[in-house]
Amino acid sequence: MASTERKVAIVGAGLIGRAWATIFARAGWNVRLSDPHIPTLKSAPRLIRDELHALARHGLASDPDAAVARVSAAGNLEEAVRDVEFIQENGPERVEDKRSIFAQLDKMAPKDALLVSSTSALPASRFTERLEGRSRCLVGHPVNPPHLVPLVELCGAPWTSPEAIDRARNIYREIGQVPVTINREINGFVLNRLQGALLAEAFRLVGEGYISAQDLDHTVKDGLGLRWSFLGPFETIELNAPGGIADYCARYTGFYKELASSPAGPEVYESPNVDRVTAAWPFQPTAERIASLTERRNERLAALAAHKAGHTSQTDNA
């Protein structure tokens, strides 16, 4: 279990940064927040407090007040990174900004601190190449919202040390996340590439009138999504054929080759297809709708987390 003496700096206190602060504080770490936008920095502790109490209501955080007490806003970046062992950067998704931030972090942070970026798509090699401490730099890409969805994609640059990857992996596990390692750099890492493939097909199916937008969403959240919360695609096909993966491929290769012969192309994201999808989606992102969906999401994820924890416990005890 994490010690209260362990310290992390959260650089960038927007939506993702606050989620990381929530995760580390919930796990017992002392959290220092930094953000160049003063209103964002000032409002962050209150928003983190609200989120921790919301998590506690769903059984996903214990002693939220103690966790809140471990979060503080630093006066500047140098103060934020002083004596920390881990830095989670959440700055703008622009290479130039990442280069500037990481150059400062490399100079200011303790030499043994890990420098980790939450970037969704930028490989670490694009913004760490010239750093003296580049061997300790890597990507730790979360899934939004990170404090509810635990996956973290770890991806180092060619010069990132294996020791840095191992340390990051262990720390993420200790704070309750589920780290996976991307063995070499690829744009978008793995989760977004998988998501992109599904999203392209979803745009095509709705845009060409095969299914309504709402029923497409039900197909994922009440079908594939429920299955995938317990089984990955390889586990699924292993269990869907008596002889496992090889048997599944022998049975269904013809069908999947037919599908792969006409994949959804980039035009599905352009007009008139996007216009058709937009017209088929009956909602607008109002504040009331966002609040309602957030509450429903929290309740559903809490129920799934509890059920999955029970399933894992039964499996471990079998």
Side-chain angles (χ1 to χ4, degrees):
M1 178 171 293
S3 163
T4 55
E5 295 304 313
R6 304 187 76 174
K7 302 181 181 70
V8 60
I10 305 298
V11 179
L15 182 66
I16 299 300
R18 294 196 303 271
W20 277 123
T22 298
I23 293 166
F24 276 98
R26 178 175 61 183
W29 286 54
N30 287 328
V31 178
R32 294 198 200 113
L33 303 171
S34 174
D35 197 292
H37 188 248
I38 300 305
T40 296
L41 183 62
K42 287 184 175 180
S43 65
R46 172 182 56 81
L47 295 170
I48 292 166
R49 178 201 65 202
D50 293 346
E51 192 60 46
L52 282 163
H53 280 276
L55 290 172
R57 288 195 297 273
H58 293 291
L60 297 176
S62 59
D63 201 352
D65 290 327
V68 171
R70 290 189 284 269
V71 178
S72 61
N76 52 52
L77 184 60
E78 186 173 10
E79 178 185 328
V81 303
R82 186 179 301 134
D83 298 329
V84 302
E85 65 177 278
F86 198 92
I87 297 171
Q88 187 82 38
E89 175 271 331
N90 314 279
E93 196 76 359
R94 293 187 293 268
V95 172
E96 295 77 11
D97 289 313
K98 300 286 187 196
R99 284 178 182 155
S100 174
I101 293 170
F102 269 74
Q104 294 177 73
L105 294 176
D106 194 40
K107 291 179 180 178
M108 295 178 181
K111 295 303 180 185
D112 59 349
L114 292 176
L115 310 183
V116 187
S117 176
S118 295
T119 177
S120 297
L122 298 175
S125 60
R126 296 187 63 187
F127 52 87
T128 65
E129 181 176 10
R130 300 171 186 168
L131 300 181
E132 180 181 347
R134 65 182 190 169
S135 64
R136 59 177 172 156
C137 300
L138 64 144
V139 167
H141 170 229
V143 186
N144 193 24
H147 54 298
L148 293 171
V149 184
L151 186 81
V152 187
E153 293 182 294
L154 306 186
C155 187
W159 43 79
T160 303
S161 72
E163 186 267 343
I165 297 288
D166 288 343
R167 280 182 60 203
R169 192 177 180 100
N170 288 334
I171 286 172
Y172 283 127
R173 281 176 175 159
E174 289 169 10
I175 64 173
Q177 301 303 98
V178 178
V180 298
T181 301
I182 313 303
N183 294 326
R184 63 180 190 270
E185 290 187 324
I186 185 170
N187 286 342
F189 312 116
V190 169
L191 184 139
N192 279 332
R193 295 180 74 90
L194 292 172
Q195 180 173 253
L198 188 148
L199 189 58
E201 189 63 27
F203 264 90
R204 174 165 65 175
L205 292 170
V206 173
E208 295 181 6
Y210 289 101
I211 190 170
S212 73
Q214 287 175 279
D215 280 354
L216 186 288
D217 268 20
H218 278 297
T219 301
V220 176
K221 68 183 180 181
D222 297 313
L224 287 174
L226 291 177
R227 171 193 283 173
W228 286 343
S229 70
F230 298 96
L231 298 172
F234 292 128
E235 287 178 311
T236 297
I237 66 173
E238 176 205 348
L239 298 175
N240 268 353
I245 292 175
D247 185 18
Y248 185 96
C249 291
R251 290 169 183 260
Y252 300 110
T253 289
F255 166 67
Y256 284 113
K257 278 186 176 180
E258 182 181 344
L259 292 185
S261 67
S262 57
E267 69 278 358
V268 299
Y269 297 108
E270 301 169 354
S271 295
N273 193 68
V274 171
D275 297 333
R276 292 194 290 263
V277 173
T278 302
W281 186 250
F283 305 111
Q284 293 297 321
T286 63
E288 293 77 10
R289 174 169 164 74
I290 291 171
S292 174
L293 287 175
T294 299
E295 185 64 19
R296 281 168 49 199
R297 176 199 67 188
N298 290 357
E299 290 174 355
R300 187 162 186 158
L301 285 168
L304 282 171
H307 184 57
K308 190 170 183 178
H311 174 80
T312 302
S313 176
Q314 292 172 9
T315 302
D316 291 344
N317 293 332

